[in-house]
Amino acid sequence: MTSSVSPRAQGLWLAFVILVGLNLRPFLTSSGTLARDVAEGLGMALGDMAWLTLLPMMIMGLGAFCMPSVRRVLSVRHVVMVSLIILCLGCALRWIVPNGLSLISTALLCGAGVAMLQAVMPGIIKEQFPNHIAQVTGVYSATLMGGGALGAQITPLVSALSDSWRIALAFWALPISVALWIAWKVVPRAARGAAGALPSLELLRRPRTWSLMLCFGLINGGYASLVTWLATFYQDHGWSLAASGTLVALLSVAQAVAAFLLPTLAARNKDRRAWIWLALVFQLIGFAAFAWMPDTAPYWWGVIIGIGLGGCFSLVLLVALDHFGDAARAGTLSALMQGGGFPIASLFPMISAWLREYSGGFNAAWMLHCVLVLAVAVLAWRFQPAHYARIMKDERKA
């Protein structure tokens, strides 16, 4: 792989980034919008649906932890192709799941595929688009959120048309097949393993790595809770399945727009903190509104919190890449951040389910996320670019 590529080649790489990003979230949002139908069809307790988010996100984290070591051996092509095949298989098998355990197993397969893809994508972006890292990171993050919106909006429609939630969940194997085809065309066979990447243990000795993990985990914890339970929350308020799915889709569209715009606006200044704090304010408003006045203007609350979640996700990815100048080291740090962050995030759908069980509703969960947003705001104060060289001095080259 090389950053000295023609405009046509960069266009193909951008198409690859977009198609991969669009396929990394529908497997999560599709099951959330059909939670009640799936639970009833398989004889599962509604609370058990949280496992469909918890376990994949846990796998996504563990896989990201392993990826720096894997990348020192395997080529980008091998990683991308294998991970897309696993993700496609996980979705396709949902057509024939006979029970809850088998459905959870498909979620684990999907999580494994996404884990490998998410771990390598930031490094690919930094290497292939060295002069447009912020913008392409925004595009990638936007397609992640946009894919979530498609999953929330299209899955109930497919379920209604086919009269089968199984077919609706398995439908997402089709667009993954398209991404697999473009990856076959774009990613070169000559792409080597990341020989220059740092061993993970070197970065795990740095407190900054753990700070990034915690921020990433808490930010995505809010997303995980919402994608799992927001539709159910409003169904408890009397909404139809289609209407609640539209709300989740609208939230995801707002995420996509913010995930692209905020990093693009932040590209002018290496200090991203003001933009992170702005995104956190939007999150705080959204979670507080869901907790205390959910029926006042629910679609506006969905847009507001979507802006906050999408902006934070892409900006924190960008901050991780900012810590190193070369793609291999930046990719390793980003993979570790996701490796520690996703297991943290994976806990919150289950925590939200427990809070619902003991308090009688999701309001306590939304209030918890308000507190966590404030915690991230405090942690983000330390992300000062002037200090990156000193913080990473043992790994950086002059």
Side-chain angles (χ1 to χ4, degrees):
M1 294 169 59
T2 173
S3 59
S4 301
V5 294
S6 67
R8 179 179 180 277
Q10 279 208 330
L12 290 173
W13 274 109
L14 186 59
F16 164 77
V17 169
I18 291 170
L19 279 170
V20 169
L22 284 172
N23 282 288
L24 298 185
R25 289 295 180 269
F27 85 96
L28 287 175
T29 57
S30 60
S31 58
T33 55
L34 299 178
R36 291 189 183 278
D37 288 350
V38 174
E40 291 175 4
L42 296 177
M44 299 170 63
L46 185 61
D48 289 342
M49 293 297 294
W51 291 106
L52 296 178
T53 305
L54 188 156
L55 290 178
M57 294 192 80
M58 189 71 71
I59 293 296
M60 285 153 62
L62 295 175
F65 257 129
C66 299
M67 192 48 56
S69 298
V70 172
R71 281 285 294 111
R72 294 170 68 85
V73 179
L74 296 181
S75 70
V76 171
R77 183 178 178 84
H78 285 132
V79 172
V80 169
M81 298 303 294
V82 169
S83 57
L84 282 171
I85 290 170
I86 291 173
L87 178 58
C88 186
L89 180 63
C91 287
L93 287 174
R94 292 183 161 188
W95 196 335
I96 57 173
V97 289
N99 52 47
L101 182 60
S102 59
L103 180 62
I104 291 171
S105 298
T106 66
L108 286 172
L109 270 179
C110 292
V114 170
M116 294 189 283
L117 284 166
Q118 286 188 155
V120 299
M121 288 303 292
I124 289 174
I125 290 169
K126 192 173 181 74
E127 186 164 8
Q128 296 298 325
F129 303 93
N131 299 320
H132 303 283
I133 296 169
Q135 293 87 341
V136 180
T137 297
V139 169
Y140 168 65
S141 301
T143 57
L144 278 176
M145 311 308 171
L150 292 173
Q153 189 66 51
I154 293 176
T155 305
L157 297 177
V158 176
S159 178
L161 290 172
S162 64
D163 196 28
S164 170
W165 58 261
R166 286 182 172 86
I167 292 175
L169 296 183
F171 166 81
W172 295 102
L174 296 178
I176 296 168
S177 300
V178 178
L180 188 60
W181 177 80
I182 195 70
W184 179 268
K185 295 289 186 180
V186 171
V187 184
R189 290 175 174 79
R192 297 167 297 177
L198 280 168
S200 299
L201 289 177
E202 290 295 319
L203 286 177
L204 289 175
R205 297 190 183 104
R206 299 290 173 266
R208 174 53 51 85
T209 304
W210 295 93
S211 296
L212 287 167
M213 287 179 187
L214 185 57
C215 283
F216 192 79
L218 296 181
I219 288 168
N220 282 280
Y223 172 77
S225 289
L226 287 169
V227 79
T228 306
W229 297 122
L230 185 62
T232 302
F233 174 61
Y234 276 98
Q235 288 165 21
D236 288 345
H237 284 239
W239 286 38
S240 68
L241 187 147
S244 59
T246 298
L247 177 60
V248 176
L250 185 64
L251 181 151
S252 298
V253 169
Q255 281 183 290
V257 173
F260 172 71
L261 285 181
L262 266 65
T264 302
L265 294 171
R268 300 177 182 178
N269 189 336
K270 200 70 175 286
D271 191 340
R272 325 287 187 183
R273 290 176 298 168
W275 295 101
I276 291 175
W277 287 326
L278 176 63
L280 289 171
V281 168
F282 277 92
Q283 282 193 48
L284 187 62
I285 293 170
F287 278 121
F290 285 146
W292 285 294
M293 44 183 174
D295 298 315
T296 303
Y299 289 111
W300 278 110
W301 305 146
V303 169
I304 288 170
I305 202 166
I307 292 170
L309 290 168
C312 269
F313 178 89
S314 56
L315 287 167
V316 174
L317 272 182
L318 192 56
V319 165
L321 294 177
D322 287 341
H323 278 72
F324 288 110
D326 63 282
R329 297 183 179 204
T332 300
L333 180 60
S334 177
L336 290 176
M337 177 185 74
Q338 295 176 69
F342 278 119
I344 295 171
S346 71
L347 300 175
F348 287 99
M350 189 62 72
I351 292 172
S352 296
W354 290 337
L355 289 173
R356 177 181 184 268
E357 181 180 348
Y358 289 111
S359 68
F362 286 106
N363 297 57
W366 309 145
M367 287 187 279
L368 170 63
H369 284 295
C370 286
V371 174
L372 298 178
V373 165
L374 296 174
V376 174
V378 174
L379 288 170
W381 173 258
R382 300 179 64 84
F383 298 156
Q384 302 180 48
H387 297 169
Y388 292 168
R390 174 178 57 81
I391 290 169
M392 299 295 183
K393 62 183 177 180
D394 289 345
E395 288 80 35
R396 291 173 69 92
K397 294 181 179 179

